[in-house]
Amino acid sequence: MQETGLRPDQPGSGFVEEDPYNGRDPRFALTIAVNGDTWPNWNTTPLQTYQGGANGEPLSGDIPTGYYLKKYCQGTLITATSGSSTAYHTWITFRLGEFYLNYAEAVLNYLGNPYATNEEFTMTAAEALNKTRVRAGMPTVPAGLSNEEFMEKYKNERMVELAFEGHRFWDIRRWKEGDKHFSSIDEMKIILNADGTYTYNRQTVQRQWDDKMYFFPIPQSERVKNPNLTQNPGW
């Protein structure tokens, strides 16, 4: 949440279930298209991702989570068959936000404190983390956090800042938190009420996770070539 800097599921965050998209981190609106958005830019009809809406279930090709993706999609492009347009698209391999976040995690692990510096690393992990937050219009992380508390802030910041940029797959495996994040996914089922209001029902869908997925299996053909190779656990 933008005002408090807390996750919506944390006490005192200011999140209101009946108005779930108000007061959020500005990056939410830049990344995700929600019910009622007029997006892409040329679209004058608000998105209807509620159940039975023009862009929601049970239509073929709809999105079961209740959200569409904005990031990496150019809203100015017209995709309709009549009046379609084209534009150059740049694929980002490594950007400044990732640099600051990578630095924050590395310095935290190296110096052992989110507020520590030395002659070689003159920027603290907290200062590096705050670079992306300040740029987005979010409050800085509080001072005096423990390493564990800072790491939780860092993981959430990395999830938000680098959303849909191909990092989450590897981050979760690196932190060994697959059972925490990959065993289920939340979907938003929106109901349009008779009085024009909406009811937001969060639905958890179970997914399959096994700890062996932290590593890829070594192909049997490679093990035949080198008998010293032992298979990764679980495969």
Side-chain angles (χ1 to χ4, degrees), residues 160-188:
V160 172
E161 176 68 20
L162 302 178
F164 300 101
E165 295 184 28
H167 296 278
R168 189 71 172 168
F169 176 92
W170 305 106
D171 288 343
I172 296 302
R173 284 162 173 77
R174 177 160 53 86
W175 297 326
K176 298 294 179 64
E177 294 184 347
D179 58 335
K180 179 180 177 181
H181 298 288
F182 289 166
S183 60
S184 65
I185 185 173
D186 283 354
E187 301 177 347
M188 182 63 78

Side-chain angles (χ1 to χ4, degrees), residues 218 223 226-233:
I218 300 175
R223 297 186 65 202
N226 185 354
N228 294 317
L229 287 175
T230 57
Q231 186 58 273
N232 284 324

Side-chain angles (χ1 to χ4, degrees), residues 40-177:
N41 299 6
W42 50 269
N43 179 31
T44 58
T45 303
L47 292 176
Q48 299 176 0
T49 64
Y50 54 83
Q51 301 293 291
N55 312 107
E57 295 181 314
L59 295 178
S60 175
D62 64 7
I63 190 73
T65 62
Y67 303 104
Y68 287 92
L69 182 64
K70 285 183 180 178
K71 183 175 275 190
Y72 284 160
C73 299
Q74 294 191 26
T76 57
L77 289 182
I78 300 174
T79 56
T81 53
S82 58
S84 61
S85 60
T86 61
Y88 285 106
H89 191 93
T90 301
W91 181 262
I92 300 173
T93 302
F94 196 103
R95 65 181 181 86
L96 186 59
E98 182 192 348
F99 171 84
Y100 282 121
L101 293 174
N102 290 353
Y103 175 95
E105 186 173 354
V107 168
L108 173 66
N109 289 317
Y110 183 61
L111 299 182
N113 188 296
Y115 310 101
T117 62
N118 63 13
E119 294 182 357
E120 185 177 10
F121 301 104
T122 58
M123 178 186 294
T124 69
E127 289 172 338
L129 177 61
N130 285 330
K131 290 288 187 180
T132 58
R133 294 181 65 79
V134 171
R135 175 179 179 270
M138 290 292 291
T140 58
V141 295
L145 295 176
S146 67
N147 285 15
E148 292 74 19
E149 290 170 334
F150 178 84
M151 195 60 186
E152 285 303 309
K153 289 283 189 182
Y154 169 81
K155 290 176 180 178
N156 189 76
E157 180 66 16
R158 191 173 179 91
M159 177 185 67
V160 172
E161 176 68 20
L162 302 178
F164 300 101
E165 295 184 28
H167 296 278
R168 189 71 172 168
F169 176 92
W170 305 106
D171 288 343
I172 296 302
R173 284 162 173 77
R174 177 160 53 86
W175 297 326
K176 298 294 179 64
E177 294 184 347

